[in-house]
């Protein structure tokens, strides 16, 4: 067992895997993420997603923008389960984004993708509690969506080895 544990790092090094964020904020991926500006996004969900993206992209000092992230959101709540009195017992909130990474110098779209997530919400007797649950779900979905978008942009930056 001990020999296996000692040989595991050698086996992983031989497979060609490399850390995505090697070099930290001064590495090629970290530097590229610092050069992405987030265009304004409509609505409350847009405000939440934009702030979450800025938090993640702004982890390094802000540089002159080289890229712009344009995002269109689709936020839906649908009823899933119905009680005997025909009232909704459970809802599903979905937040989907179509995003484009635009290289500002050329004005070309270099990445065009989608991301999404969903959450279940219990509809309880208190209308206030249901509204609070919907708002909480939106906050969580915004964070998840921002993580997915930043990860995809980071993969693009890694593949293209953009230099600061």
């Amino acid at each position: 067992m001990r020999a296996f544990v000692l040989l595991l790092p050698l086996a992983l090094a031989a497979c060609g895997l490399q850390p995505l964020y090697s070099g930290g904020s001064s590495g090629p991926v970290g530097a590229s993420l610092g050069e992405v500006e987030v265009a304004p996004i409509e609505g409350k969900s847009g405000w939440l997603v934009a702030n979450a993206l800025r938090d993640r992209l702004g982890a390094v000092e802000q540089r002159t923008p080289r890229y712009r992230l344009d995002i269109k959101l689709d936020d839906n709540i649908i009823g899933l389960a119905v009680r005997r009195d025909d009232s909704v017992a459970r809802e599903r909130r979905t937040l989907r984004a179509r995003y484009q990474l635009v290289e500002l110098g050329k004005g070309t779209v270099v990445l065009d993708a989608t991301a999404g997530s969903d959450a279940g919400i219990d509809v309880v007797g208190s209308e206030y509690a249901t509204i609070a649950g919907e708002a909480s779900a939106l906050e969580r979905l915004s964070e998840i969506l921002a993580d997915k978008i930043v990860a995809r942009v980071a993969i693009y930056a890694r593949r293209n080895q953009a230099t600061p």
Side-chain angles (χ1 to χ4, degrees), residues 86-154:
D86 288 332
S87 63
V88 175
R90 187 140 176 91
E91 296 175 334
R92 177 180 175 196
R93 184 166 209 158
T94 57
L95 187 61
R96 306 274 182 248
R98 176 164 186 226
Y99 57 96
Q100 296 178 324
L101 186 65
V102 179
E103 189 171 352
L104 294 175
K106 298 176 184 175
T108 59
V109 175
V110 294
L111 177 64
D112 188 352
T114 60
S117 191
D118 63 340
I121 305 161
D122 287 327
V123 178
V124 294
S126 166
E127 190 174 326
Y128 174 78
T130 301
I131 292 170
E134 291 171 353
S136 178
L138 179 59
E139 291 171 12
R140 285 191 315 273
L141 293 173
S142 298
E143 298 286 327
I144 292 167
L145 207 60
D147 287 339
K148 288 180 177 184
I149 292 171
V150 169
R152 184 63 181 94
V153 171

Short mmCIF file of all heavy atoms in Angstrom, two decimals, residues 86-154:
data_model
loop_
_atom_site.label_atom_id
_atom_site.label_comp_id
_atom_site.label_asym_id
_atom_site.label_seq_id
_atom_site.Cartn_x
_atom_site.Cartn_y
_atom_site.Cartn_z
N ASP A 86 -55.74 21.73 -5.67
CA ASP A 86 -55.20 22.31 -6.91
C ASP A 86 -54.19 23.43 -6.68
O ASP A 86 -53.94 24.23 -7.58
CB ASP A 86 -56.32 22.81 -7.84
CG ASP A 86 -57.08 21.67 -8.47
OD1 ASP A 86 -56.49 20.58 -8.63
OD2 ASP A 86 -58.26 21.86 -8.81
N SER A 87 -53.60 23.51 -5.50
CA SER A 87 -52.54 24.49 -5.26
C SER A 87 -51.19 23.80 -5.50
O SER A 87 -51.05 22.59 -5.35
CB SER A 87 -52.61 25.05 -3.84
OG SER A 87 -52.41 24.01 -2.90
N VAL A 88 -50.23 24.58 -5.88
CA VAL A 88 -48.90 24.05 -6.19
C VAL A 88 -48.16 23.72 -4.89
O VAL A 88 -48.15 24.51 -3.94
CB VAL A 88 -48.08 25.08 -7.02
CG1 VAL A 88 -46.66 24.62 -7.23
CG2 VAL A 88 -48.77 25.34 -8.35
N ALA A 89 -47.54 22.55 -4.84
CA ALA A 89 -46.82 22.10 -3.65
C ALA A 89 -45.30 22.23 -3.81
O ALA A 89 -44.58 22.34 -2.82
CB ALA A 89 -47.16 20.65 -3.34
N ARG A 90 -44.83 22.23 -5.03
CA ARG A 90 -43.39 22.31 -5.28
C ARG A 90 -43.17 23.04 -6.59
O ARG A 90 -43.91 22.88 -7.54
CB ARG A 90 -42.79 20.90 -5.35
CG ARG A 90 -41.29 20.88 -5.44
CD ARG A 90 -40.74 19.74 -4.57
NE ARG A 90 -39.30 19.63 -4.72
CZ ARG A 90 -38.43 20.25 -3.95
NH1 ARG A 90 -38.85 21.03 -2.98
NH2 ARG A 90 -37.14 20.11 -4.12
N GLU A 91 -42.09 23.85 -6.61
CA GLU A 91 -41.73 24.59 -7.80
C GLU A 91 -40.32 24.23 -8.23
O GLU A 91 -39.52 23.77 -7.41
CB GLU A 91 -41.77 26.11 -7.55
CG GLU A 91 -43.13 26.65 -7.23
CD GLU A 91 -43.09 28.12 -6.86
OE1 GLU A 91 -42.05 28.62 -6.38
OE2 GLU A 91 -44.13 28.77 -7.05
N ARG A 92 -40.06 24.47 -9.49
CA ARG A 92 -38.71 24.28 -10.03
C ARG A 92 -38.29 25.60 -10.65
O ARG A 92 -38.97 26.14 -11.52
CB ARG A 92 -38.70 23.19 -11.09
CG ARG A 92 -37.35 23.00 -11.74
CD ARG A 92 -37.43 21.92 -12.78
NE ARG A 92 -36.17 21.80 -13.48
CZ ARG A 92 -36.03 21.18 -14.62
NH1 ARG A 92 -37.06 20.62 -15.19
NH2 ARG A 92 -34.86 21.11 -15.20
N ARG A 93 -37.16 26.12 -10.16
CA ARG A 93 -36.62 27.36 -10.72
C ARG A 93 -35.41 27.01 -11.57
O ARG A 93 -34.50 26.33 -11.11
CB ARG A 93 -36.22 28.33 -9.62
CG ARG A 93 -35.75 29.66 -10.18
CD ARG A 93 -35.66 30.74 -9.15
NE ARG A 93 -35.89 32.02 -9.82
CZ ARG A 93 -36.28 33.10 -9.22
NH1 ARG A 93 -36.53 33.09 -7.93
NH2 ARG A 93 -36.45 34.22 -9.89
N THR A 94 -35.43 27.45 -12.82
CA THR A 94 -34.30 27.21 -13.72
C THR A 94 -33.72 28.55 -14.12
O THR A 94 -34.45 29.50 -14.39
CB THR A 94 -34.73 26.43 -14.98
OG1 THR A 94 -35.75 27.16 -15.65
CG2 THR A 94 -35.23 25.04 -14.63
N LEU A 95 -32.41 28.59 -14.16
CA LEU A 95 -31.69 29.77 -14.61
C LEU A 95 -30.72 29.30 -15.69
O LEU A 95 -29.84 28.48 -15.43
CB LEU A 95 -30.94 30.43 -13.45
CG LEU A 95 -30.26 31.76 -13.74
CD1 LEU A 95 -31.29 32.80 -14.18
CD2 LEU A 95 -29.52 32.26 -12.51
N ARG A 96 -30.92 29.80 -16.89
CA ARG A 96 -30.10 29.43 -18.04
C ARG A 96 -29.45 30.68 -18.60
O ARG A 96 -30.04 31.76 -18.58
CB ARG A 96 -30.94 28.79 -19.15
CG ARG A 96 -31.77 27.61 -18.70
CD ARG A 96 -30.98 26.32 -18.77
NE ARG A 96 -31.81 25.20 -18.39
CZ ARG A 96 -31.63 24.51 -17.28
NH1 ARG A 96 -30.67 24.81 -16.46
NH2 ARG A 96 -32.40 23.48 -16.99
N ALA A 97 -28.25 30.52 -19.12
CA ALA A 97 -27.53 31.65 -19.70
C ALA A 97 -26.94 31.26 -21.04
O ALA A 97 -26.40 30.17 -21.20
CB ALA A 97 -26.41 32.09 -18.77
N ARG A 98 -27.07 32.15 -21.99
CA ARG A 98 -26.31 32.05 -23.23
C ARG A 98 -25.29 33.17 -23.14
O ARG A 98 -25.65 34.34 -22.95
CB ARG A 98 -27.18 32.25 -24.46
CG ARG A 98 -26.30 32.24 -25.71
CD ARG A 98 -27.06 32.05 -26.97
NE ARG A 98 -26.10 31.91 -28.05
CZ ARG A 98 -26.20 32.55 -29.19
NH1 ARG A 98 -27.22 33.36 -29.39
NH2 ARG A 98 -25.29 32.37 -30.12
N TYR A 99 -24.03 32.80 -23.24
CA TYR A 99 -22.99 33.81 -23.07
C TYR A 99 -22.01 33.76 -24.22
O TYR A 99 -21.77 32.71 -24.83
CB TYR A 99 -22.27 33.66 -21.73
CG TYR A 99 -21.63 32.33 -21.49
CD1 TYR A 99 -20.29 32.12 -21.75
CD2 TYR A 99 -22.36 31.26 -20.98
CE1 TYR A 99 -19.69 30.90 -21.52
CE2 TYR A 99 -21.77 30.04 -20.75
CZ TYR A 99 -20.43 29.86 -21.01
OH TYR A 99 -19.85 28.64 -20.79
N GLN A 100 -21.47 34.94 -24.52
CA GLN A 100 -20.48 35.08 -25.58
C GLN A 100 -19.30 35.87 -25.03
O GLN A 100 -19.49 36.90 -24.39
CB GLN A 100 -21.06 35.81 -26.79
CG GLN A 100 -22.17 35.06 -27.47
CD GLN A 100 -22.76 35.83 -28.64
OE1 GLN A 100 -22.88 37.03 -28.60
NE2 GLN A 100 -23.14 35.10 -29.68
N LEU A 101 -18.12 35.37 -25.31
CA LEU A 101 -16.89 36.08 -24.96
C LEU A 101 -16.42 36.78 -26.23
O LEU A 101 -16.14 36.13 -27.24
CB LEU A 101 -15.83 35.09 -24.46
CG LEU A 101 -14.55 35.71 -23.93
CD1 LEU A 101 -14.83 36.53 -22.67
CD2 LEU A 101 -13.52 34.62 -23.62
N VAL A 102 -16.38 38.10 -26.17
CA VAL A 102 -16.04 38.91 -27.33
C VAL A 102 -14.65 39.49 -27.13
O VAL A 102 -14.37 40.10 -26.10
CB VAL A 102 -17.06 40.05 -27.53
CG1 VAL A 102 -16.69 40.91 -28.72
CG2 VAL A 102 -18.47 39.50 -27.66
N GLU A 103 -13.78 39.28 -28.12
CA GLU A 103 -12.46 39.89 -28.07
C GLU A 103 -12.62 41.34 -28.54
O GLU A 103 -13.00 41.59 -29.69
CB GLU A 103 -11.47 39.14 -28.96
CG GLU A 103 -10.06 39.60 -28.79
CD GLU A 103 -9.05 38.70 -29.50
OE1 GLU A 103 -9.44 37.64 -30.02
OE2 GLU A 103 -7.88 39.08 -29.53
N LEU A 104 -12.35 42.28 -27.66
CA LEU A 104 -12.65 43.68 -27.93
C LEU A 104 -11.82 44.26 -29.08
O LEU A 104 -12.32 45.06 -29.86
CB LEU A 104 -12.46 44.52 -26.67
CG LEU A 104 -13.44 44.20 -25.54
CD1 LEU A 104 -13.10 44.99 -24.29
CD2 LEU A 104 -14.86 44.49 -25.97
N GLY A 105 -10.57 43.87 -29.19
CA GLY A 105 -9.70 44.41 -30.24
C GLY A 105 -10.18 44.10 -31.63
O GLY A 105 -10.09 44.91 -32.54
N LYS A 106 -10.73 42.92 -31.82
CA LYS A 106 -11.19 42.48 -33.13
C LYS A 106 -12.70 42.54 -33.28
O LYS A 106 -13.22 42.49 -34.39
CB LYS A 106 -10.73 41.04 -33.40
CG LYS A 106 -9.22 40.88 -33.42
CD LYS A 106 -8.85 39.43 -33.60
CE LYS A 106 -7.35 39.23 -33.52
NZ LYS A 106 -6.98 37.82 -33.58
N GLY A 107 -13.40 42.59 -32.16
CA GLY A 107 -14.85 42.59 -32.20
C GLY A 107 -15.44 41.25 -32.57
O GLY A 107 -16.59 41.16 -32.99
N THR A 108 -14.67 40.18 -32.41
CA THR A 108 -15.14 38.84 -32.79
C THR A 108 -15.53 38.04 -31.55
O THR A 108 -14.97 38.21 -30.47
CB THR A 108 -14.05 38.06 -33.55
OG1 THR A 108 -12.88 37.97 -32.71
CG2 THR A 108 -13.68 38.76 -34.84
N VAL A 109 -16.49 37.16 -31.74
CA VAL A 109 -16.91 36.26 -30.67
C VAL A 109 -15.97 35.07 -30.68
O VAL A 109 -15.86 34.35 -31.67
CB VAL A 109 -18.37 35.80 -30.89
CG1 VAL A 109 -18.76 34.75 -29.86
CG2 VAL A 109 -19.31 36.98 -30.86
N VAL A 110 -15.26 34.87 -29.58
CA VAL A 110 -14.29 33.77 -29.50
C VAL A 110 -14.84 32.58 -28.72
O VAL A 110 -14.28 31.49 -28.79
CB VAL A 110 -12.95 34.25 -28.89
CG1 VAL A 110 -12.29 35.25 -29.80
CG2 VAL A 110 -13.15 34.83 -27.50
N LEU A 111 -15.93 32.79 -28.00
CA LEU A 111 -16.55 31.70 -27.24
C LEU A 111 -18.05 31.97 -27.20
O LEU A 111 -18.48 33.06 -26.83
CB LEU A 111 -15.98 31.64 -25.83
CG LEU A 111 -16.57 30.62 -24.87
CD1 LEU A 111 -16.31 29.20 -25.36
CD2 LEU A 111 -15.99 30.80 -23.48
N ASP A 112 -18.84 30.99 -27.60
CA ASP A 112 -20.29 31.10 -27.59
C ASP A 112 -20.81 29.81 -26.96
O ASP A 112 -20.66 28.73 -27.55
CB ASP A 112 -20.82 31.27 -29.02
CG ASP A 112 -22.30 31.59 -29.08
OD1 ASP A 112 -22.96 31.54 -28.02
OD2 ASP A 112 -22.79 31.87 -30.18
N ALA A 113 -21.40 29.92 -25.77
CA ALA A 113 -21.80 28.71 -25.06
C ALA A 113 -23.03 28.99 -24.19
O ALA A 113 -23.49 30.13 -24.10
CB ALA A 113 -20.65 28.20 -24.20
N THR A 114 -23.53 27.93 -23.56
CA THR A 114 -24.66 28.05 -22.64
C THR A 114 -24.30 27.36 -21.34
O THR A 114 -23.43 26.48 -21.29
CB THR A 114 -25.92 27.39 -23.22
OG1 THR A 114 -25.67 26.01 -23.46
CG2 THR A 114 -26.37 28.08 -24.49
N ALA A 115 -24.99 27.77 -20.29
CA ALA A 115 -24.84 27.14 -18.99
C ALA A 115 -26.19 27.26 -18.28
O ALA A 115 -26.97 28.16 -18.58
CB ALA A 115 -23.75 27.81 -18.17
N GLY A 116 -26.43 26.39 -17.35
CA GLY A 116 -27.68 26.46 -16.62
C GLY A 116 -27.67 25.60 -15.38
O GLY A 116 -26.80 24.75 -15.20
N SER A 117 -28.65 25.85 -14.54
CA SER A 117 -28.82 25.07 -13.33
C SER A 117 -30.27 25.21 -12.89
O SER A 117 -30.98 26.11 -13.34
CB SER A 117 -27.86 25.56 -12.24
OG SER A 117 -27.85 24.64 -11.17
N ASP A 118 -30.70 24.33 -12.02
CA ASP A 118 -32.06 24.42 -11.51
C ASP A 118 -32.11 24.04 -10.04
O ASP A 118 -31.18 23.42 -9.52
CB ASP A 118 -33.03 23.56 -12.33
CG ASP A 118 -32.71 22.08 -12.26
OD1 ASP A 118 -31.57 21.73 -11.93
OD2 ASP A 118 -33.60 21.27 -12.54
N ALA A 119 -33.20 24.45 -9.39
CA ALA A 119 -33.37 24.17 -7.96
C ALA A 119 -34.84 23.91 -7.69
O ALA A 119 -35.72 24.48 -8.33
CB ALA A 119 -32.89 25.35 -7.13
N GLY A 120 -35.09 23.04 -6.73
CA GLY A 120 -36.45 22.76 -6.29
C GLY A 120 -36.81 23.63 -5.10
O GLY A 120 -35.97 23.90 -4.23
N ILE A 121 -38.06 24.08 -5.06
CA ILE A 121 -38.53 24.96 -3.98
C ILE A 121 -39.83 24.38 -3.44
O ILE A 121 -40.77 24.11 -4.21
CB ILE A 121 -38.78 26.39 -4.51
CG1 ILE A 121 -37.54 26.95 -5.18
CG2 ILE A 121 -39.26 27.30 -3.38
CD1 ILE A 121 -37.82 28.11 -6.10
N ASP A 122 -39.91 24.20 -2.13
CA ASP A 122 -41.16 23.77 -1.50
C ASP A 122 -42.08 24.98 -1.35
O ASP A 122 -41.66 26.04 -0.89
CB ASP A 122 -40.90 23.17 -0.12
CG ASP A 122 -40.27 21.79 -0.20
OD1 ASP A 122 -40.57 21.06 -1.16
OD2 ASP A 122 -39.46 21.45 0.69
N VAL A 123 -43.32 24.82 -1.74
CA VAL A 123 -44.32 25.87 -1.57
C VAL A 123 -45.06 25.56 -0.29
O VAL A 123 -45.74 24.53 -0.20
CB VAL A 123 -45.27 25.94 -2.77
CG1 VAL A 123 -46.33 26.99 -2.56
CG2 VAL A 123 -44.50 26.19 -4.05
N VAL A 124 -44.90 26.42 0.69
CA VAL A 124 -45.49 26.19 2.02
C VAL A 124 -46.68 27.11 2.22
O VAL A 124 -47.01 27.93 1.36
CB VAL A 124 -44.43 26.40 3.12
CG1 VAL A 124 -43.35 25.33 3.01
CG2 VAL A 124 -43.82 27.78 3.04
N GLY A 125 -47.32 27.02 3.36
CA GLY A 125 -48.50 27.81 3.66
C GLY A 125 -48.25 29.31 3.71
O GLY A 125 -49.11 30.11 3.40
N SER A 126 -47.05 29.70 4.09
CA SER A 126 -46.72 31.11 4.18
C SER A 126 -46.21 31.63 2.84
O SER A 126 -45.22 31.13 2.31
CB SER A 126 -45.63 31.31 5.25
OG SER A 126 -45.07 32.60 5.16
N GLU A 127 -46.89 32.63 2.31
CA GLU A 127 -46.46 33.21 1.03
C GLU A 127 -45.08 33.85 1.16
O GLU A 127 -44.26 33.78 0.25
CB GLU A 127 -47.49 34.25 0.58
CG GLU A 127 -47.26 34.73 -0.83
CD GLU A 127 -48.36 35.65 -1.33
OE1 GLU A 127 -49.52 35.45 -0.96
OE2 GLU A 127 -48.03 36.56 -2.09
N TYR A 128 -44.81 34.47 2.32
CA TYR A 128 -43.50 35.09 2.56
C TYR A 128 -42.39 34.04 2.51
O TYR A 128 -41.35 34.26 1.90
CB TYR A 128 -43.48 35.81 3.91
CG TYR A 128 -42.12 36.35 4.26
CD1 TYR A 128 -41.66 37.52 3.68
CD2 TYR A 128 -41.29 35.67 5.14
CE1 TYR A 128 -40.39 38.01 3.96
CE2 TYR A 128 -40.03 36.14 5.44
CZ TYR A 128 -39.59 37.32 4.86
OH TYR A 128 -38.35 37.79 5.16
N ALA A 129 -42.62 32.89 3.12
CA ALA A 129 -41.61 31.83 3.13
C ALA A 129 -41.37 31.30 1.72
O ALA A 129 -40.23 30.99 1.35
CB ALA A 129 -42.05 30.70 4.06
N THR A 130 -42.40 31.20 0.92
CA THR A 130 -42.25 30.74 -0.46
C THR A 130 -41.43 31.75 -1.28
O THR A 130 -40.52 31.37 -2.02
CB THR A 130 -43.63 30.51 -1.11
OG1 THR A 130 -44.33 29.54 -0.34
CG2 THR A 130 -43.48 30.01 -2.54
N ILE A 131 -41.75 33.04 -1.12
CA ILE A 131 -41.00 34.08 -1.83
C ILE A 131 -39.54 34.09 -1.38
O ILE A 131 -38.63 34.23 -2.20
CB ILE A 131 -41.67 35.46 -1.63
CG1 ILE A 131 -43.01 35.47 -2.35
CG2 ILE A 131 -40.78 36.59 -2.14
CD1 ILE A 131 -43.87 36.69 -2.03
N ALA A 132 -39.30 33.91 -0.09
CA ALA A 132 -37.93 33.85 0.42
C ALA A 132 -37.20 32.63 -0.14
O ALA A 132 -36.02 32.71 -0.48
CB ALA A 132 -37.94 33.80 1.94
N GLY A 133 -37.90 31.51 -0.27
CA GLY A 133 -37.29 30.32 -0.86
C GLY A 133 -36.93 30.51 -2.32
O GLY A 133 -35.88 30.08 -2.79
N GLU A 134 -37.81 31.21 -3.05
CA GLU A 134 -37.53 31.51 -4.46
C GLU A 134 -36.32 32.43 -4.60
O GLU A 134 -35.48 32.23 -5.47
CB GLU A 134 -38.75 32.15 -5.12
CG GLU A 134 -39.91 31.20 -5.28
CD GLU A 134 -41.19 31.89 -5.75
OE1 GLU A 134 -41.21 33.15 -5.82
OE2 GLU A 134 -42.17 31.17 -6.02
N ALA A 135 -36.23 33.43 -3.73
CA ALA A 135 -35.10 34.36 -3.77
C ALA A 135 -33.80 33.66 -3.40
O ALA A 135 -32.75 33.89 -4.02
CB ALA A 135 -35.36 35.54 -2.83
N SER A 136 -33.87 32.80 -2.40
CA SER A 136 -32.68 32.05 -1.99
C SER A 136 -32.21 31.12 -3.10
O SER A 136 -31.01 30.98 -3.35
CB SER A 136 -33.00 31.24 -0.72
OG SER A 136 -31.90 30.47 -0.32
N ALA A 137 -33.16 30.49 -3.77
CA ALA A 137 -32.80 29.61 -4.89
C ALA A 137 -32.14 30.41 -6.01
O ALA A 137 -31.15 29.96 -6.60
CB ALA A 137 -34.05 28.90 -5.42
N LEU A 138 -32.65 31.61 -6.28
CA LEU A 138 -32.05 32.45 -7.32
C LEU A 138 -30.62 32.83 -6.97
O LEU A 138 -29.73 32.82 -7.83
CB LEU A 138 -32.90 33.70 -7.55
CG LEU A 138 -32.38 34.68 -8.60
CD1 LEU A 138 -32.26 34.01 -9.96
CD2 LEU A 138 -33.28 35.90 -8.67
N GLU A 139 -30.37 33.14 -5.71
CA GLU A 139 -29.00 33.48 -5.29
C GLU A 139 -28.06 32.29 -5.48
O GLU A 139 -26.95 32.45 -5.99
CB GLU A 139 -29.01 33.93 -3.83
CG GLU A 139 -29.67 35.27 -3.62
CD GLU A 139 -29.86 35.62 -2.16
OE1 GLU A 139 -29.28 34.94 -1.28
OE2 GLU A 139 -30.60 36.59 -1.88
N ARG A 140 -28.49 31.10 -5.09
CA ARG A 140 -27.66 29.90 -5.26
C ARG A 140 -27.43 29.61 -6.73
O ARG A 140 -26.31 29.29 -7.15
CB ARG A 140 -28.32 28.69 -4.59
CG ARG A 140 -28.21 28.69 -3.09
CD ARG A 140 -28.64 27.35 -2.49
NE ARG A 140 -29.88 26.79 -3.04
CZ ARG A 140 -31.10 27.08 -2.62
NH1 ARG A 140 -31.27 27.93 -1.64
NH2 ARG A 140 -32.15 26.50 -3.18
N LEU A 141 -28.48 29.71 -7.54
CA LEU A 141 -28.35 29.44 -8.97
C LEU A 141 -27.41 30.44 -9.65
O LEU A 141 -26.66 30.09 -10.55
CB LEU A 141 -29.72 29.46 -9.65
CG LEU A 141 -30.66 28.33 -9.25
CD1 LEU A 141 -32.04 28.55 -9.86
CD2 LEU A 141 -30.10 26.98 -9.63
N SER A 142 -27.44 31.69 -9.21
CA SER A 142 -26.55 32.71 -9.76
C SER A 142 -25.09 32.36 -9.48
O SER A 142 -24.22 32.52 -10.35
CB SER A 142 -26.87 34.09 -9.17
OG SER A 142 -28.17 34.47 -9.50
N GLU A 143 -24.81 31.89 -8.29
CA GLU A 143 -23.44 31.50 -7.93
C GLU A 143 -22.99 30.30 -8.76
O GLU A 143 -21.86 30.26 -9.26
CB GLU A 143 -23.37 31.16 -6.44
CG GLU A 143 -23.69 32.31 -5.51
CD GLU A 143 -22.58 33.35 -5.45
OE1 GLU A 143 -21.40 32.97 -5.56
OE2 GLU A 143 -22.91 34.54 -5.27
N ILE A 144 -23.86 29.31 -8.90
CA ILE A 144 -23.52 28.12 -9.68
C ILE A 144 -23.28 28.48 -11.14
O ILE A 144 -22.31 28.03 -11.76
CB ILE A 144 -24.65 27.06 -9.56
CG1 ILE A 144 -24.72 26.52 -8.14
CG2 ILE A 144 -24.47 25.94 -10.57
CD1 ILE A 144 -25.97 25.71 -7.84
N LEU A 145 -24.14 29.32 -11.69
CA LEU A 145 -24.00 29.75 -13.08
C LEU A 145 -22.68 30.50 -13.29
O LEU A 145 -21.98 30.27 -14.27
CB LEU A 145 -25.19 30.63 -13.46
CG LEU A 145 -25.59 30.67 -14.91
CD1 LEU A 145 -25.96 29.30 -15.42
CD2 LEU A 145 -26.75 31.62 -15.09
N ALA A 146 -22.35 31.39 -12.36
CA ALA A 146 -21.09 32.14 -12.46
C ALA A 146 -19.89 31.19 -12.43
O ALA A 146 -18.94 31.36 -13.20
CB ALA A 146 -20.99 33.17 -11.34
N ASP A 147 -19.95 30.18 -11.56
CA ASP A 147 -18.85 29.20 -11.50
C ASP A 147 -18.69 28.48 -12.83
O ASP A 147 -17.57 28.28 -13.31
CB ASP A 147 -19.11 28.17 -10.39
CG ASP A 147 -18.91 28.73 -9.00
OD1 ASP A 147 -18.21 29.76 -8.86
OD2 ASP A 147 -19.47 28.16 -8.05
N LYS A 148 -19.81 28.08 -13.43
CA LYS A 148 -19.75 27.35 -14.70
C LYS A 148 -19.19 28.24 -15.82
O LYS A 148 -18.39 27.78 -16.65
CB LYS A 148 -21.14 26.84 -15.09
CG LYS A 148 -21.61 25.69 -14.23
CD LYS A 148 -22.99 25.22 -14.66
CE LYS A 148 -23.45 24.03 -13.84
NZ LYS A 148 -24.73 23.50 -14.30
N ILE A 149 -19.62 29.48 -15.86
CA ILE A 149 -19.16 30.39 -16.91
C ILE A 149 -17.67 30.67 -16.77
O ILE A 149 -16.92 30.62 -17.74
CB ILE A 149 -19.99 31.69 -16.91
CG1 ILE A 149 -21.44 31.39 -17.35
CG2 ILE A 149 -19.36 32.75 -17.82
CD1 ILE A 149 -22.40 32.56 -17.16
N VAL A 150 -17.23 30.96 -15.55
CA VAL A 150 -15.80 31.25 -15.33
C VAL A 150 -14.95 30.02 -15.65
O VAL A 150 -13.88 30.15 -16.24
CB VAL A 150 -15.57 31.75 -13.89
CG1 VAL A 150 -14.08 31.80 -13.57
CG2 VAL A 150 -16.18 33.13 -13.72
N ALA A 151 -15.42 28.85 -15.29
CA ALA A 151 -14.66 27.63 -15.61
C ALA A 151 -14.51 27.47 -17.12
O ALA A 151 -13.43 27.13 -17.62
CB ALA A 151 -15.35 26.40 -15.01
N ARG A 152 -15.58 27.74 -17.87
CA ARG A 152 -15.52 27.60 -19.34
C ARG A 152 -14.60 28.65 -19.96
O ARG A 152 -13.85 28.35 -20.88
CB ARG A 152 -16.93 27.70 -19.92
CG ARG A 152 -16.99 27.49 -21.41
CD ARG A 152 -16.54 26.07 -21.80
NE ARG A 152 -16.58 25.91 -23.22
CZ ARG A 152 -15.54 26.10 -24.04
NH1 ARG A 152 -14.37 26.43 -23.56
NH2 ARG A 152 -15.67 25.93 -25.34
N VAL A 153 -14.65 29.87 -19.44
CA VAL A 153 -13.75 30.93 -19.93
C VAL A 153 -12.30 30.58 -19.59
O VAL A 153 -11.40 30.80 -20.39
CB VAL A 153 -14.16 32.30 -19.37
CG1 VAL A 153 -13.12 33.37 -19.68
CG2 VAL A 153 -15.52 32.72 -19.92
N ALA A 154 -12.08 30.01 -18.41
CA ALA A 154 -10.73 29.62 -18.01
C ALA A 154 -10.20 28.50 -18.92
O ALA A 154 -9.02 28.51 -19.30
CB ALA A 154 -10.72 29.16 -16.55
#
